[in-house]
Amino acid sequence: MRSAVVVGAGVGGLAVAGALARSGWQVTLLERAERVRPERTAVVLWPNGVRALQALGLGAGLAAIATPLPDGGVRRPDGHWLVQPRPTPADRMPVVVHREDLHDALIAGLGDRVELRTGVTVRHVRVDPGERPGVSDGRHTIEADLVVAADGTDSGIRRQLAPESRVVSSGCAAWRAVIPWYQAPRLPDDQPLAGEILGAGYRFVATSLGERGSSGGSTRGGIYWVATAAGAPRPEPPETQLALLRRWYADWPAPVGALLDATDPADLVQQEVRELRPLPRAYGFPVGPGGVVLLGDAAHAMPPHLGQGACLAFEDAATLASLLREARLPDAVQAYDRVRRPRAATVVRQTRRMSAVLQTRGRLALRARDAALGTINGRLLSSAAASAAQWRPPT
């Protein structure tokens, strides 16, 4: 029986661990934290991410927890429409999923061939020629045929194998929250949810997560919002951060103010937006009879402006699982590198272009940006998101 060690129990690590286990592998899943638990926020999955989950055998579970995300258009902070809402074909419509629901679906897909160990910090990966790959926490070494580094943006395995790739700030911070339905404001029927609003270095996006009343007292349905602002993360407590957000977005169109007022500080999640520059020179490293691969943010951490972080992680998992079914292990590792590096590089390049658009400042630059946005087709803001969503699982 083939064996794998997956380092990191985020969405990418859970997805690939379950996929390998369902293919007959014995999997050891290592997590640095003492508990495996998701943020109480949500995630948007574009069609490529949905197709990747379907290829992983998780499509049925996703359908039960996902909410379609219709086009909300794009406005300026003064309420002027830059891009009017437009109908979106069902096969091109993204969905929004509560992270706790997605986490539960991924955990349910692990099966009994996955051994989960928490509180384990991997400090070294063994890539000696002629030996099986392995990982060590400084006291114990675990050998396997395959090591999957899904240990996030600060991946220690990537630092050892691809030291040229550094984590840098993207120049902005993001705040996210889900307002459960029981405390969400009731909006007039003729008032659109915020959709997307773009200012000078500021952005606010909001969407419904499930139908009001469908989740009763559960916190897993409600209104999900994301605010992005240029600059460093704030060190203040959540109550002060919310007060700052209310001040920064005070003159923005409804319902931005109402959503911020309804947010419980305990539900606010702040994140420094970081990325890898440059990307690693390789995502697959043959080692003896097996190999090591980088997956998810460990391979291609990027700003969230195109909503492709989780989607690419699921693509990685689906691609790796497919290649391992079709090829010998060292060949599959090399094929994974050949397939995933160009794909990730394209999406990261497009995301950086979008990042430059969203962080535009200065009166003349903003006028040029707004004029350009007016010519963009619907929700996608650019052909970047469209091409990112065209991915199909390998066959």
Side-chain angles (χ1 to χ4, degrees):
M1 179 184 299
R2 295 189 292 181
S3 62
V5 173
V6 177
V7 183
V11 294
L14 290 172
V16 75
L20 293 176
R22 290 190 295 275
S23 297
W25 288 62
Q26 187 65 45
V27 181
T28 302
L29 178 58
L30 306 179
E31 168 56 37
R32 179 185 308 152
E34 294 295 334
R35 293 179 59 193
V36 178
R37 55 185 176 185
E39 295 176 350
R40 293 176 60 187
T41 61
V43 61
V44 173
L45 297 177
W46 290 83
N48 55 312
V50 173
R51 286 192 290 268
L53 285 173
Q54 291 169 342
L56 290 166
L58 300 171
L62 177 65
I65 59 177
T67 302
L69 185 57
D71 187 354
V74 185
R75 290 181 286 169
R76 292 194 312 223
D78 62 5
H80 174 79
W81 285 103
L82 296 171
V83 181
Q84 291 278 353
R86 302 182 186 184
T88 304
D91 62 342
R92 291 174 51 194
M93 185 178 293
V95 298
V96 59
V97 184
H98 200 290
R99 284 185 177 270
E100 290 181 335
D101 288 332
L102 180 61
H103 176 266
D104 289 349
L106 294 171
I107 288 289
L110 291 180
D112 58 6
R113 290 183 182 271
V114 178
E115 178 190 1
L116 174 60
R117 302 182 190 177
T118 58
V120 179
T121 299
V122 171
R123 305 185 184 280
H124 179 77
V125 57
R126 189 176 69 192
V127 289
D128 299 328
E131 294 193 37
R132 297 175 77 205
V135 296
S136 171
D137 63 357
R139 295 175 300 170
H140 308 288
T141 298
I142 304 174
E143 291 185 346
D145 299 307
L146 175 69
V147 172
V148 180
D151 47 345
T153 304
D154 295 310
S155 169
I157 294 177
R158 186 198 61 246
R159 284 198 299 269
Q160 181 179 337
L161 298 181
E164 74 282 355
S165 187
R166 304 294 181 88
V167 180
V168 301
S169 171
S170 299
C172 60
W175 291 261
R176 295 172 290 162
V178 172
I179 307 171
W181 282 126
Y182 64 82
Q183 69 185 54
R186 288 194 173 273
L187 307 176
D189 292 338
D190 60 348
Q191 182 182 94
L193 204 51
E196 182 154 0
I197 309 174
L198 293 181
Y202 293 84
R203 180 191 193 198
F204 194 94
V205 184
T207 184
S208 294
L209 186 61
E211 297 291 334
R212 185 184 290 269
S214 62
S215 56
S218 170
T219 59
R220 297 194 183 185
I223 297 177
Y224 172 53
W225 62 260
V226 182
T228 308
R234 305 295 304 195
E236 297 90 350
E239 294 83 357
T240 306
Q241 293 179 30
L242 260 179
L244 286 170
L245 290 171
R246 294 186 186 110
R247 188 176 73 194
W248 293 342
Y249 294 92
D251 298 326
W252 286 43
V256 173
L259 296 180
L260 293 175
D261 288 340
T263 300
D264 188 326
D267 294 329
L268 186 67
V269 176
Q270 180 186 214
Q271 174 191 11
E272 180 184 12
V273 180
R274 300 181 299 159
E275 59 190 282
L276 292 180
R277 286 183 180 262
L279 292 178
R281 296 176 184 173
Y283 287 167
F285 305 84
V287 179
V292 181
V293 298
L294 304 180
L295 184 145
D297 284 345
H300 39 64
M302 69 189 82
H305 305 314
L306 288 182
Q308 284 294 321
C311 294
L312 280 191
F314 293 141
E315 284 187 24
D316 291 343
T319 301
L320 180 61
S322 176
L323 291 171
L324 288 170
R325 287 193 296 267
E326 301 297 330
R328 293 174 56 253
L329 185 49
D331 296 335
V333 169
Q334 292 178 322
Y336 174 82
D337 178 58
R338 289 195 304 270
V339 172
R340 294 310 298 164
R341 262 194 309 122
R343 166 65 174 166
T346 297
V347 176
V348 167
R349 182 170 59 251
Q350 294 166 338
T351 300
R352 288 173 181 168
R353 291 173 182 168
M354 184 59 64
S355 182
V357 170
L358 297 178
Q359 297 185 45
T360 300
R361 292 188 174 189
R363 183 176 300 176
L364 293 178
L366 282 170
R367 286 180 180 175
R369 183 200 70 181
D370 292 350
L373 284 174
T375 67
I376 292 173
N377 184 19
R379 153 221 309 285
L380 299 180
L381 296 183
S382 74
S383 61
S387 63
Q390 288 172 358
W391 176 86
R392 301 280 177 177
T395 58

